[in-house]
Amino acid sequence: DILLAAEARNLGIRFGPGHGQWALYASGGEAMRLRGGYDDDFQKFEEAHLCAEGLSPGNRKEELRSKVLEFERSDQYQMMTPASENPNEKSNVAYFDLFVLFCIFANTACGAMDHFDGRTVPLAPGFGPADNCCDPNCLVRNADRCGRGIIYISSDWFELLKWAEFVFSIIFTLELILKVMGLWSFQAFLFENFPTNFIDFLIVIISDIFLVLEFLSMPVFF
Protein backbone atom coordinates (compact mmCIF):
# COMPACT_ATOMS: atom_id res chain seq x y z
CA ASP A 1 0.00 0.00 0.00
CA ILE A 2 2.98 2.34 0.49
CA LEU A 3 4.00 1.81 -3.13
CA LEU A 4 0.47 2.61 -4.35
CA ALA A 5 0.27 5.72 -2.18
CA ALA A 6 3.65 6.87 -3.48
CA GLU A 7 2.67 6.27 -7.11
CA ALA A 8 -0.51 8.32 -6.67
CA ARG A 9 1.68 11.19 -5.46
CA ASN A 10 4.19 11.05 -8.33
CA LEU A 11 6.78 9.46 -6.06
CA GLY A 12 9.22 6.62 -6.52
CA ILE A 13 10.96 4.68 -3.72
CA ARG A 14 14.52 3.35 -3.75
CA PHE A 15 15.54 0.91 -1.02
CA GLY A 16 19.12 0.39 0.15
CA PRO A 17 22.01 0.15 0.10
CA GLY A 18 21.81 -0.52 3.84
CA HIS A 19 19.12 -2.47 5.64
CA GLY A 20 15.97 -0.36 6.07
CA GLN A 21 17.36 2.61 4.14
CA TRP A 22 15.07 4.29 1.63
CA ALA A 23 14.91 7.38 -0.57
CA LEU A 24 11.90 9.14 -2.09
CA TYR A 25 12.23 10.84 -5.45
CA ALA A 26 9.82 12.53 -7.86
CA SER A 27 8.66 10.10 -10.54
CA GLY A 28 6.06 10.48 -13.27
CA GLY A 29 5.69 14.24 -12.87
CA GLU A 30 6.08 17.01 -10.35
CA ALA A 31 5.72 16.01 -6.68
CA MET A 32 4.20 18.40 -4.15
CA ARG A 33 4.80 18.32 -0.38
CA LEU A 34 2.78 20.40 2.04
CA ARG A 35 4.98 22.58 4.22
CA GLY A 36 4.19 24.83 7.13
CA GLY A 37 0.74 23.32 7.70
CA TYR A 38 -0.98 25.59 5.18
CA ASP A 39 -3.14 24.17 2.39
CA ASP A 40 -1.75 26.55 -0.23
CA ASP A 41 1.95 26.29 0.78
CA PHE A 42 3.65 23.52 -1.21
CA GLN A 43 7.24 22.55 -1.87
CA LYS A 44 7.77 21.46 -5.46
CA PHE A 45 10.07 18.66 -6.60
CA GLU A 46 10.88 18.24 -10.28
CA GLU A 47 11.15 14.89 -12.05
CA ALA A 48 13.86 12.57 -10.57
CA HIS A 49 14.58 15.04 -7.76
CA LEU A 50 15.34 13.60 -4.31
CA CYS A 51 12.43 14.39 -1.99
CA ALA A 52 13.34 12.65 1.27
CA GLU A 53 15.44 9.82 2.67
CA GLY A 54 15.58 7.94 5.93
CA LEU A 55 15.77 4.65 7.78
CA SER A 56 12.85 2.32 8.58
CA PRO A 57 14.19 -1.04 9.76
CA GLY A 58 10.78 -2.40 10.80
CA ASN A 59 8.44 -4.29 8.50
CA ARG A 60 5.73 -1.59 8.62
CA LYS A 61 8.15 1.21 7.70
CA GLU A 62 6.16 3.83 9.59
CA GLU A 63 8.63 6.66 8.91
CA LEU A 64 8.51 6.00 5.17
CA ARG A 65 4.72 5.84 5.25
CA SER A 66 4.44 9.17 7.11
CA LYS A 67 6.81 10.84 4.65
CA VAL A 68 4.77 9.63 1.67
CA LEU A 69 1.57 10.96 3.24
CA GLU A 70 3.16 14.41 3.58
CA PHE A 71 2.86 14.71 -0.19
CA GLU A 72 -0.33 15.65 -2.01
CA ARG A 73 -1.99 13.27 -4.45
CA SER A 74 -1.20 14.31 -8.01
CA ASP A 75 -4.86 14.48 -9.10
CA GLN A 76 -5.77 16.61 -6.07
CA TYR A 77 -2.85 18.92 -6.76
CA GLN A 78 -4.00 19.43 -10.35
CA MET A 79 -7.40 20.61 -9.09
CA MET A 80 -5.79 23.06 -6.65
CA THR A 81 -3.24 24.48 -9.10
CA PRO A 82 -4.31 27.92 -10.38
CA ALA A 83 -4.61 28.21 -14.15
CA SER A 84 -2.26 31.21 -14.09
CA GLU A 85 0.66 28.94 -13.10
CA ASN A 86 0.59 27.37 -16.56
CA PRO A 87 1.69 30.03 -19.09
CA ASN A 88 0.43 27.94 -22.03
CA GLU A 89 -3.09 27.71 -20.61
CA LYS A 90 -5.55 30.54 -21.21
CA SER A 91 -7.30 32.00 -18.19
CA ASN A 92 -10.88 30.82 -17.79
CA VAL A 93 -12.98 33.95 -17.37
CA ALA A 94 -16.47 33.40 -15.97
CA TYR A 95 -18.29 35.56 -18.52
CA PHE A 96 -21.68 34.38 -17.28
CA ASP A 97 -20.92 35.53 -13.73
CA LEU A 98 -19.67 38.87 -15.05
CA PHE A 99 -22.87 39.29 -17.06
CA VAL A 100 -25.03 38.54 -14.01
CA LEU A 101 -22.97 40.97 -11.93
CA PHE A 102 -23.47 43.65 -14.59
CA CYS A 103 -27.24 42.99 -14.52
CA ILE A 104 -27.28 43.36 -10.74
CA PHE A 105 -25.59 46.77 -10.97
CA ALA A 106 -27.86 47.82 -13.85
CA ASN A 107 -30.94 46.73 -11.90
CA THR A 108 -29.75 48.75 -8.91
CA ALA A 109 -29.20 51.78 -11.16
CA CYS A 110 -32.73 51.47 -12.56
CA GLY A 111 -34.11 51.32 -9.04
CA ALA A 112 -32.22 54.51 -8.20
CA MET A 113 -33.91 56.26 -11.17
CA ASP A 114 -37.29 55.99 -9.44
CA HIS A 115 -38.06 59.58 -8.46
CA PHE A 116 -40.92 61.82 -7.37
CA ASP A 117 -42.27 64.19 -10.03
CA GLY A 118 -44.66 66.20 -7.85
CA ARG A 119 -46.70 67.89 -10.59
CA THR A 120 -50.46 68.13 -10.16
CA VAL A 121 -52.88 67.09 -12.88
CA PRO A 122 -55.18 69.94 -14.05
CA LEU A 123 -58.48 68.09 -13.72
CA ALA A 124 -61.55 68.77 -15.82
CA PRO A 125 -64.77 69.64 -14.00
CA GLY A 126 -66.45 66.67 -12.41
CA PHE A 127 -63.24 64.93 -11.28
CA GLY A 128 -61.58 65.15 -7.90
CA PRO A 129 -58.37 63.98 -6.16
CA ALA A 130 -60.02 60.73 -5.06
CA ASP A 131 -60.32 59.68 -8.74
CA ASN A 132 -56.49 59.31 -9.05
CA CYS A 133 -56.52 60.82 -12.54
CA CYS A 134 -53.32 60.87 -14.58
CA ASP A 135 -54.70 63.23 -17.27
CA PRO A 136 -57.18 66.13 -17.26
CA ASN A 137 -60.06 64.03 -18.65
CA CYS A 138 -59.26 61.12 -16.30
CA LEU A 139 -58.82 58.63 -19.15
CA VAL A 140 -56.02 56.97 -17.19
CA ARG A 141 -56.41 56.29 -13.49
CA ASN A 142 -53.55 54.90 -11.44
CA ALA A 143 -53.24 55.29 -7.70
CA ASP A 144 -49.56 54.33 -7.76
CA ARG A 145 -48.48 56.76 -10.49
CA CYS A 146 -51.02 59.60 -9.97
CA GLY A 147 -52.36 59.21 -6.46
CA ARG A 148 -54.90 61.97 -5.66
CA GLY A 149 -54.03 63.80 -8.87
CA ILE A 150 -50.33 64.23 -8.01
CA ILE A 151 -47.97 62.74 -10.58
CA TYR A 152 -45.55 60.47 -8.76
CA ILE A 153 -43.55 59.67 -11.89
CA SER A 154 -43.99 60.52 -15.56
CA SER A 155 -45.52 57.95 -17.89
CA ASP A 156 -42.30 57.53 -19.88
CA TRP A 157 -40.23 56.83 -16.79
CA PHE A 158 -42.95 54.60 -15.39
CA GLU A 159 -43.01 52.40 -18.50
CA LEU A 160 -39.22 52.33 -18.77
CA LEU A 161 -38.69 51.21 -15.18
CA LYS A 162 -41.56 48.71 -15.34
CA TRP A 163 -40.14 46.95 -18.41
CA ALA A 164 -36.59 47.13 -17.04
CA GLU A 165 -37.80 45.35 -13.89
CA PHE A 166 -39.53 42.76 -16.07
CA VAL A 167 -36.38 42.09 -18.14
CA PHE A 168 -34.09 41.82 -15.12
CA SER A 169 -36.53 39.48 -13.37
CA ILE A 170 -36.44 37.17 -16.38
CA ILE A 171 -32.61 37.25 -16.43
CA PHE A 172 -32.30 36.45 -12.72
CA THR A 173 -34.92 33.69 -12.99
CA LEU A 174 -33.03 32.11 -15.89
CA GLU A 175 -29.81 32.37 -13.89
CA LEU A 176 -31.46 30.51 -11.03
CA ILE A 177 -32.78 27.79 -13.37
CA LEU A 178 -29.38 27.32 -15.04
CA LYS A 179 -27.63 27.00 -11.68
CA VAL A 180 -30.09 24.34 -10.53
CA MET A 181 -29.71 22.47 -13.83
CA GLY A 182 -25.92 22.67 -13.56
CA LEU A 183 -25.99 20.96 -10.17
CA TRP A 184 -28.72 18.47 -11.22
CA SER A 185 -30.46 19.00 -7.89
CA PHE A 186 -32.46 21.80 -6.31
CA GLN A 187 -31.32 20.66 -2.86
CA ALA A 188 -27.67 20.70 -3.96
CA PHE A 189 -28.15 24.25 -5.25
CA LEU A 190 -29.63 25.44 -1.93
CA PHE A 191 -26.88 23.93 0.20
CA GLU A 192 -23.90 24.46 -2.12
CA ASN A 193 -23.30 27.97 -0.83
CA PHE A 194 -25.74 28.18 2.08
CA PRO A 195 -27.30 30.56 2.99
CA THR A 196 -26.35 32.74 -0.01
CA ASN A 197 -28.10 30.57 -2.59
CA PHE A 198 -31.13 30.18 -0.35
CA ILE A 199 -31.48 33.95 0.05
CA ASP A 200 -30.94 34.39 -3.70
CA PHE A 201 -33.74 31.90 -4.35
CA LEU A 202 -36.15 33.70 -1.99
CA ILE A 203 -35.42 37.10 -3.55
CA VAL A 204 -35.97 35.84 -7.10
CA ILE A 205 -39.19 33.96 -6.26
CA ILE A 206 -40.72 36.84 -4.28
CA SER A 207 -39.76 39.29 -7.04
CA ASP A 208 -41.38 37.06 -9.67
CA ILE A 209 -44.58 36.72 -7.62
CA PHE A 210 -44.98 40.48 -7.23
CA LEU A 211 -44.12 41.01 -10.89
CA VAL A 212 -46.81 38.57 -12.03
CA LEU A 213 -49.36 40.17 -9.73
CA GLU A 214 -48.48 43.60 -11.08
CA PHE A 215 -48.85 42.55 -14.71
CA LEU A 216 -52.14 40.85 -13.93
CA SER A 217 -53.29 44.05 -12.19
CA MET A 218 -54.08 42.14 -9.04
CA PRO A 219 -54.06 44.08 -5.76
CA VAL A 220 -51.46 43.05 -3.22
CA PHE A 221 -52.36 43.30 0.44
CA PHE A 222 -49.79 43.47 3.24
Side-chain angles (χ1 to χ4, degrees):
D1 61 333
I2 296 179
L3 295 177
L4 292 176
E7 183 180 359
R9 292 161 172 80
N10 289 342
L11 294 172
I13 304 176
R14 293 195 186 102
F15 293 98
H19 174 68
Q21 288 182 336
W22 53 264
L24 282 177
Y25 62 95
S27 175
E30 190 177 54
M32 304 295 298
R33 180 169 62 186
L34 183 66
R35 62 184 180 185
Y38 300 100
D39 292 341
D40 57 350
D41 188 10
F42 286 93
Q43 181 181 7
K44 300 180 180 180
F45 294 93
E46 302 294 336
E47 178 80 21
H49 193 281
L50 179 65
C51 302
E53 56 185 349
L55 180 66
S56 299
N59 292 331
R60 295 184 57 82
K61 304 190 182 318
E62 295 295 341
E63 184 181 354
L64 173 59
R65 185 189 306 274
S66 64
K67 282 295 180 183
V68 169
L69 296 179
E70 289 180 5
F71 288 78
E72 185 59 63
R73 285 176 55 92
S74 57
D75 54 351
Q76 296 293 329
Y77 165 66
Q78 291 297 331
M79 289 191 295
M80 293 186 296
T81 303
S84 57
E85 291 189 5
N86 188 352
N88 298 321
E89 184 178 350
K90 296 182 180 179
S91 60
N92 209 359
V93 181
Y95 292 106
F96 179 75
D97 291 339
L98 292 178
F99 172 72
V100 172
L101 185 62
F102 169 78
C103 290
I104 292 174
F105 282 115
N107 188 29
T108 304
C110 288
M113 293 178 186
D114 193 358
H115 60 280
F116 180 68
D117 191 301
R119 292 177 297 163
T120 58
V121 179
L123 298 176
F127 300 104
D131 294 320
N132 301 321
C133 300
C134 295
D135 60 272
N137 296 320
C138 214
L139 298 177
V140 178
R141 302 186 184 193
N142 191 310
D144 294 329
R145 188 160 61 88
C146 314
R148 300 193 63 80
I150 299 175
I151 299 177
Y152 174 77
I153 189 172
S154 66
S155 58
D156 293 336
W157 276 109
F158 184 80
E159 291 297 323
L160 173 64
L161 297 180
K162 182 180 71 173
W163 284 105
E165 181 183 3
F166 177 72
V167 171
F168 286 126
S169 295
I170 291 178
I171 292 174
F172 295 141
T173 303
L174 290 176
E175 177 211 4
L176 185 69
I177 294 173
L178 290 175
K179 284 184 176 180
V180 174
M181 293 176 61
L183 293 173
W184 291 94
S185 169
F186 179 70
Q187 183 178 4
F189 164 76
L190 289 181
F191 292 99
E192 182 202 24
N193 192 18
F194 188 85
T196 303
N197 283 357
F198 179 71
I199 296 174
D200 187 26
F201 167 75
L202 288 181
I203 292 174
V204 171
I205 293 301
I206 293 174
S207 175
D208 287 347
I209 291 174
F210 276 86
L211 190 66
V212 170
L213 293 177
E214 180 182 350
F215 273 83
L216 292 178
S217 299
M218 295 176 61
V220 180
F221 299 97
F222 292 91

